[in-house]
Amino acid sequence: MCGIVGYVGTRDALPILVEGLKRLEYRGYDSAGVALVRDGKVRVTKSAGRISVLEQLLDYDAPPSPTGIGHTRWATHGAPTDANAHPHVDACGRIALVHNGIIENYHALRVYLKNQGVEFRSDTDTEVLTQLVGRFYKGSLEVAVKQALREVRGTYGIAVVCADEPNVIVAARKGSPLLVGIGQDEFIVASDAAAILSHTTQVIYLEDDEVVRVSPDGIRTTTIEDIPVTKEIQEIEWTLDQIELGGHEHFMIKEIFEQPDALRTCLRGRIDGENGTVHLGGIADVARELTRAKRLILTACGTAWHAALVGEYLFEELARIPTETEYASEFRYRNPIIDDGTVVIAISQSGETADTYAALEEAKHRGALALGVVNVVGSSIARSTDAGVYLHVGPEIGVASTKAFSGQVAVLAMLACYLGRRRHMSQFNASQFLDALGAIPDQIAHVLEQNDACRAVAEANIEKDNWLYLGRGYQYPVALEGALKLKEISYIHAEGLPAAEMKHGPIALITDQMPAVFIATQGIQYEKIIGNIEEVRSRGGRVIAVATEGDQRIEELAESTIFIPDTLEPLQPLLSVVPLQLIAYHAAVLRGCNVDKPRNLAKSVTVE
Ligand code: G6P
């Protein structure tokens, strides 16, 4: 979603801002803009559309500006037009502001400001905040920003510049991430580490209600109530090549192929097959409470919700703890019951998804122990949990989540085994499970060798506009994930179902125009899924199967079969999801879709 980048230093801000904005493109956006401070003026250039459109409007030959802010907008209040794009400027044209988040009381503030004679140029909530800062400005941008923020309700990450303070950026956050990169004689403010990584890896993360003022004189952090805060400088562990394409056509395919290495890193030092033990440093402090949990609630959105559903099966089977998986957007508003012994685990790649964050806050408010399974170190969810486990799969740039799903399932598998071992699981069973988990990265590498076969499946069915994905047990969440992957990037309609549910309605849809993808690996429900395949075949349906290597029976039944290696049933999702990711990828490419920037989607959904 929206992205912020700001620069103060000794270099020309413009190319740094544009580079930063390009690095934020992956988050999803529909307009972009920059404001530069030069010669006592704030100069704004902005436009609807891609950054390439903005670039055509920018004057690269103008004298350098050492200070500037930039933004990619994903429309919420007001259509994606030039006027609604950020930065917004105040009535005097001296203050420019970029904003991520939503100002909830913007309407009342807008009416108030209109009554004061302010004329608005856009439909956005952000302009309201900008005008408010302008009204309060009496010579100190920092003071005016704080004063304005005390009047607003809602969420924000903002960066503000002023013509009268040419070497200053004031930035603040509440519920929307913001960090400050600290370079040599320069500072880069951003909503995402990707925007600053090519300049520095030293950062400070702002907390909610904190305001930072950066200038060549240094950096000062206070609360919006003006109480000084001492910030710790942290090191970003991601590297530049991780956020670059490195010869791949798209981030999605790069990240699908990164899965063996990503999972090796995720598992490294954490599993000990020989002794049947799992080491998860991030939960050591809450190990006792967690082990005694009477109930787990896993909460997440999108792909992370599918990983959570695999987690539910894992926790109940391995650790015998009653577990529920909840959409974060439902959980946060539906008065959930949190008893003593309820542990809530939020699962999120970005650690910034608004609904997941709010669900976690609600759970904490009701007294639950709150854990996070998160990829982005230092993200909002990671920082607000009592304890947690990082995925360590590296940055995920492709909007369609792939390696994060694998990382989430792998972490949940480790967590389930960790708890199982502390409750009732034998060392032998834990060893067997962890040995199998340790073998998964190599097995994924083997599945990836079927890339051509997956492309052939996509090619053979590319004209079909509706697909079904069917699985049972551990493969049911994989069916959901396979359908989501296909629809989000290729815009082909797809539905995922527990295979037995097909008979309760969806079977009416079966024709040879609707490919049915069965995840039909060996397991306790194998015979049942064969029955479901027969039901589809007997109605003239086209069956695509993901099956266990050597399974000739399925091969004979299906039109196309992708084989995956055998593993323990609870770990099969880590292998069976890979062909589905590849099929979706190839379908999207064949249909000419923009794989890494699918229409209307955002990588990190920071509004509810
Ligand atoms: C968006 C992304 C999905 C992601 C979901 C949850 O919808 O497009 O890929 O699964 O948000 O994101 P999170 O960062 O919380 O895992």
Side-chain angles (χ1 to χ4, degrees), residues 293-509:
K294 295 201 180 74
R295 178 168 159 249
L296 301 178
I297 298 176
L298 310 181
T299 192
C301 303
T303 288
W305 189 87
H306 297 153
L309 200 53
V310 179
E312 177 179 321
Y313 286 49
L314 283 161
F315 283 119
E316 295 209 335
E317 183 168 341
L318 271 64
R320 308 298 301 150
I321 304 175
T323 306
E324 292 148 48
T325 303
E326 291 254 19
Y327 285 111
S329 53
E330 291 297 315
F331 177 83
R332 65 182 287 196
Y333 288 120
R334 68 160 189 80
N335 200 9
I337 297 166
I338 307 280
D339 301 331
D340 269 2
T342 301
V343 176
V344 175
I345 307 180
I347 298 147
S348 173
Q349 187 285 127
S350 62
E352 302 295 348
T353 301
D355 281 324
T356 311
Y357 182 66
L360 192 77
E361 290 297 305
E362 183 61 28
K364 278 168 47 184
H365 180 68
R366 290 174 186 236
L369 175 69
L371 302 193
V373 171
V374 171
N375 193 32
V376 179
V377 175
S379 57
S380 301
I381 292 173
R383 278 177 301 133
S384 94
T385 44
D386 298 307
V389 185
Y390 280 118
L391 306 185
H392 292 312
V393 295
E396 189 179 69
I397 308 290
V399 168
S401 185
T402 53
K403 64 176 179 172
F405 175 84
S406 314
Q408 286 156 351
V409 172
V411 166
L412 292 168
M414 286 190 280
L415 208 47
C417 184
Y418 174 91
L419 290 179
R421 186 72 190 97
R422 286 172 159 250
R423 289 165 70 101
H424 64 86
M425 203 176 178
S426 69
Q427 185 181 358
F428 175 79
N429 285 346
S431 290
Q432 200 186 26
F433 185 80
L434 295 175
D435 282 342
L437 183 57
I440 290 285
D442 288 347
Q443 290 183 313
I444 294 181
H446 187 56
V447 179
L448 290 168
E449 289 167 12
Q450 307 237 34
N451 187 25
D452 288 345
C454 294
R455 187 188 296 114
V457 167
E459 270 163 5
N461 295 281
I462 201 62
E463 303 301 333
K464 306 289 177 278
D465 291 326
N466 297 286
W467 294 39
L468 275 183
Y469 284 75
L470 301 150
R472 303 179 76 116
Y474 282 96
Q475 304 294 11
Y476 156 49
V478 177
L480 298 182
E481 177 58 8
L484 177 64
K485 283 291 87 74
L486 188 71
K487 71 183 132 192
E488 68 183 337
I489 53 166
S490 73
Y491 318 142
I492 295 170
H493 171 243
E495 263 188 74
L497 292 168
E501 277 297 302
M502 188 183 62
K503 283 197 285 292
H504 301 287
I507 199 164
L509 300 169

